[in-house]
């Protein structure tokens, strides 16, 4: 069964088949998000589906907005990988600028989730951020963000 991938493209919506995520209400690839803080951070050819990914290489992460049409408990999903350098990278999930989960990330692509959070109807924001940047002796600890999605009555 195919589901739908929704990507923000120049202010419009583009819809394409995305069989890897079943019945998500929205699904966004990292390279389709405008990240003013990361203008050169998009890498290509090694994403989870051999597509592009976003390299987060400092402590922080930009926000993307989404709409909740029905109040309820929601979980943010993300496909992440990392580069190990004197320890594993840690991802922080933020919803409405509040940390909603910390996850250690290994070298391979993995599906991670935030903690469940109650959201009222209306606009909200999410971010996935690198918590523990580190570089020394020719190695660099980074977080690689491929995609994010959410289930429930939400949209971007």
């Amino acid at each position: 069964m195919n589901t739908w991938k929704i990507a923000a493209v120049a202010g419009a919506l583009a819809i394409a088949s995305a069989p890897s995520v079943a019945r998500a209400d929205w699904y966004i690839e990292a390279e389709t998000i405008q990240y003013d803080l990361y203008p050169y951070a998009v890498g290509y050819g090694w994403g989870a589906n051999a597509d592009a990914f976003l390299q987060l290489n400092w402590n922080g992460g930009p926000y993307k907005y989404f709409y909740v049409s029905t109040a309820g408990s929601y979980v943010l999903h993300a496909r992440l990988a990392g580069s190990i350098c004197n320890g594993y990278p840690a991802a922080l999930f933020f919803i409405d600028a509040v940390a909603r989960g910390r996850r250690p990330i290994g070298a391979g692509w993995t599906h991670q989730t935030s903690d469940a959070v109650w959201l009222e109807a209306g606009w909200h924001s999410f971010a996935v951020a690198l918590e523990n940047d580190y570089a020394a002796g020719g190695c660099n600890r980074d977080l690689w963000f491929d995609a994010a999605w959410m289930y429930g009555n939400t949209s971007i």
Side-chain angles (χ1 to χ4, degrees):
M1 171 196 302
N2 281 340
T3 58
W4 297 100
K5 173 171 51 177
I6 302 176
V9 179
L13 292 178
I15 300 176
S17 175
S20 61
V21 180
R23 293 183 298 243
D25 284 293
W26 59 263
Y27 176 98
I28 189 160
E29 290 278 350
E31 66 271 19
T32 66
I33 302 173
Q34 291 293 334
Y35 283 119
D36 295 333
L37 299 176
Y38 299 96
Y40 306 106
V42 175
Y44 292 94
W46 194 72
N49 296 313
D51 61 357
F53 61 91
L54 187 67
Q55 180 178 0
L56 305 180
N57 54 10
W58 62 283
N59 293 345
Y63 286 87
K64 177 70 180 170
Y65 292 92
F66 64 97
Y67 187 79
V68 172
S69 58
T70 304
S73 181
Y74 294 92
V75 173
L76 176 65
H77 298 255
R79 195 167 35 243
L80 304 168
S83 59
I84 301 165
C85 176
N86 196 24
Y88 289 90
L92 286 175
F93 287 83
F94 289 90
I95 298 177
D96 292 338
V98 176
R100 302 295 185 171
R102 179 188 187 277
R103 306 292 183 262
I105 306 299
W109 288 104
T110 181
H111 172 190
Q112 299 290 330
T113 60
S114 69
D115 298 335
V117 60
W118 181 268
L119 297 175
E120 296 296 331
W123 285 100
H124 299 274
S125 64
F126 82 84
V128 177
L130 171 64
E131 179 193 48
N132 57 344
D133 190 23
Y134 179 85
C139 71
N140 192 3
R141 184 185 307 148
D142 293 331
L143 181 66
W144 300 322
F145 168 49
D146 185 50
W149 62 96
M150 190 173 280
Y151 301 95
N153 296 309
T154 63
S155 60
I156 57 172

